[in-house]
């Protein structure tokens, strides 16, 4: 049986992590299922009593989402429309009980290729704030998640927040998930998009697809092809398999690579059509 610590002070938490290896615990919804049937032997650092890791706040040119913000708290928060994609994803993270316990940083640190929070946050150009005794640093989310269940987090670092920059133009955002059934399901493919629109035209586009590569990927060729297009119904027709090149889906129990590639084209096209159908 290992140690269990639940500090209320961030310095104390960072000191504990600097001293010896500890497993960070937030909502436990990824942690516990990974340990079913065996005692928890490692030392645990529970971060849920750390006030600086809580809450959602506007901070100059970005919105700061505390690491231990739960999915249900995110859903209830009054956020601008460019968070609509992340909110749609929040609604898809398990059922309500999971959304009441699971945190945003837990989803990112677990770094599952099928983590629903990752594509919408990559499409929002989010960054991850990390703190340790050695200092603070901020990494783009796309650089933080380095592969299937791998991140750039040092063993002595805590994720303290997710930082989402404000878009330069009015923006709209969406998220779509394909699973074997409608709810309570691990994604076969999911897609998130943020479109910045000026004068009826796409001024900036950020599209990310999850569950089709070890970590969710943005689609730079598709994003470039969307710039300057009228943000109007039919926008999804721009999507073609050739524009989804960074994706490298695999065959697994949930679907074949070919199915995933095909589904990604359809999902992204529908998402763009839905977003282009609304008013700027
Ligand atoms: C029944 C069920 C259904 C689910 N459905 C979905 C789903 O549909 N979509 C989906 O994406 N996920 C799903 N999940 C997974 C999970 O709920 C989410 O990934 C959730 O956001 C994890 O957050 P948590 O706070 O519970 O993480 P925890 O389990 O507490 O931690 C997860 C990992 O992150 C690390 N960690 C947590 N916080 C920090 C921090 N601040 N700093 C450093 N490291 C940290 C932990 O050490 C651990 O490695 C499901 C889980 C269950 C049990």
């Amino acid at each position: 049986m290992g140690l269990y610590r639940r500090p209320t002070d961030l310095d104390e938490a960072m000191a504990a992590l600097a001293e010896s290896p500890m497993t960070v615990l937030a909502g436990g919804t990824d942690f516990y299922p990974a340990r079913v049937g065996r005692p928890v032997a490692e030392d645990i650092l529970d971060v849920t009593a750390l006030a600086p890791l809580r809450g959602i706040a506007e901070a100059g040119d970005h919105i700061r989402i505390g690491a231990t913000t739960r999915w249900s708290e995110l859903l209830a928060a009054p956020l601008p429309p460019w968070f609509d994609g992340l909110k749609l994803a929040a609604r898809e993270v398990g059922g309500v009980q999971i959304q009441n316990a699971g945190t945003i940083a837990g989803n990112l640190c677990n770094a599952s290729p099928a983590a629903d929070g990752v594509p919408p946050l990559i499409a929002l150009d989010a960054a991850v704030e990390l703190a340790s005794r050695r200092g603070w640093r901020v990494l783009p989310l796309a650089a933080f998640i380095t592969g299937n269940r791998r991140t750039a987090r040092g063993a002595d670092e805590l994720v303290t927040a997710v930082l989402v920059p404000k878009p330069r133009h009015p923006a709209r955002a969406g998220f779509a998930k394909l699973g074997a059934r409608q709810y309570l399901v691990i994604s076969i493919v999911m897609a998130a998009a943020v479109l910045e629109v000026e004068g009826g035209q796409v001024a900036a586009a950020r599209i990310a697809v999850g569950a089709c590569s070890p970590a969710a990927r943005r689609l730079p060729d598709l994003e470039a092809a969307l710039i300057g297009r009228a943000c109007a119904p039919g926008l999804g027709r721009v999507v073609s398999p050739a524009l989804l090149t960074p994706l490298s889906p695999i065959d697994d129990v949930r679907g074949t690579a070919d199915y995933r590639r095909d589904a990604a084209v359809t999902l992204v096209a529908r998402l763009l059509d839905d977003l282009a159908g609304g008013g700027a």
Side-chain angles (χ1 to χ4, degrees):
M1 184 77 184
L3 276 177
Y4 172 82
R5 291 174 76 170
R6 188 170 183 256
T8 51
D9 180 72
L10 185 55
D11 285 334
E12 195 190 319
M14 291 193 295
L17 277 184
E19 233 166 68
S20 62
M22 298 190 87
T23 301
V24 176
L25 176 69
T29 61
D30 277 314
F31 172 88
Y32 290 113
R35 287 161 179 79
V36 171
R38 59 187 168 97
V40 175
E42 69 244 59
D43 291 346
I44 302 296
L45 183 78
D46 183 333
V47 292
T48 54
L50 295 171
L53 271 59
R54 297 201 71 86
I56 301 176
E58 204 168 337
D61 62 357
H62 63 271
I63 309 280
R64 184 180 192 279
I65 306 174
T68 54
T69 302
R70 297 182 166 95
W71 292 111
S72 52
E73 291 169 331
L74 188 105
L75 271 167
L79 289 165
W82 28 283
F83 276 96
D84 287 357
L86 185 61
K87 285 196 169 189
L88 286 167
R91 217 168 271 134
E92 301 275 351
V93 178
V96 173
Q97 296 96 327
I98 296 296
Q99 292 159 19
N100 284 340
T103 64
I104 193 159
N107 195 248
L108 305 185
C109 292
N110 192 54
S112 158
D116 285 319
V118 177
L121 282 166
I122 287 184
L124 283 167
D125 218 7
V128 174
E129 183 189 79
L130 296 136
S132 73
R133 269 275 165 99
R134 294 175 289 127
W136 293 71
R137 62 179 181 138
V138 172
L139 276 181
L141 175 57
F144 175 73
I145 299 181
T146 54
N148 182 355
R149 301 196 184 263
R150 285 192 289 119
T151 72
R153 183 181 84 88
D156 61 342
E157 285 183 308
L158 274 181
V159 170
T160 45
V162 177
L163 311 178
V164 178
K166 294 179 181 170
R168 292 177 51 210
H169 309 280
R172 50 183 85 170
F175 172 82
K177 167 170 171 173
L178 174 73
R181 56 176 187 262
Q182 187 153 15
Y183 296 107
L184 293 170
V185 70
I186 298 177
S187 295
I188 297 172
V189 181
M190 73 280 216
V194 174
L195 294 182
E196 296 188 29
V197 181
E198 194 178 44
Q201 291 187 331
V202 177
R206 291 181 296 280
I207 322 283
V209 169
C212 282
S213 38
R217 296 288 302 266
R218 272 184 58 182
L219 304 175
D221 292 344
L222 174 60
E223 293 174 4
L226 288 165
I227 305 292
R229 301 246 176 195
C231 190
L235 186 64
R237 282 200 290 272
V238 176
V239 184
S240 71
L243 296 176
L244 271 61
T245 38
L247 304 183
S248 52
I250 55 162
D251 294 330
D252 70 8
V253 286
R254 283 185 284 281
T256 63
D258 283 346
Y259 176 72
R260 282 196 158 93
R261 207 171 280 113
D262 198 46
V265 172
T266 306
L267 211 61
V268 173
R270 281 189 196 156
L271 185 56
L272 291 176
D273 276 335
D274 286 350
L275 286 178

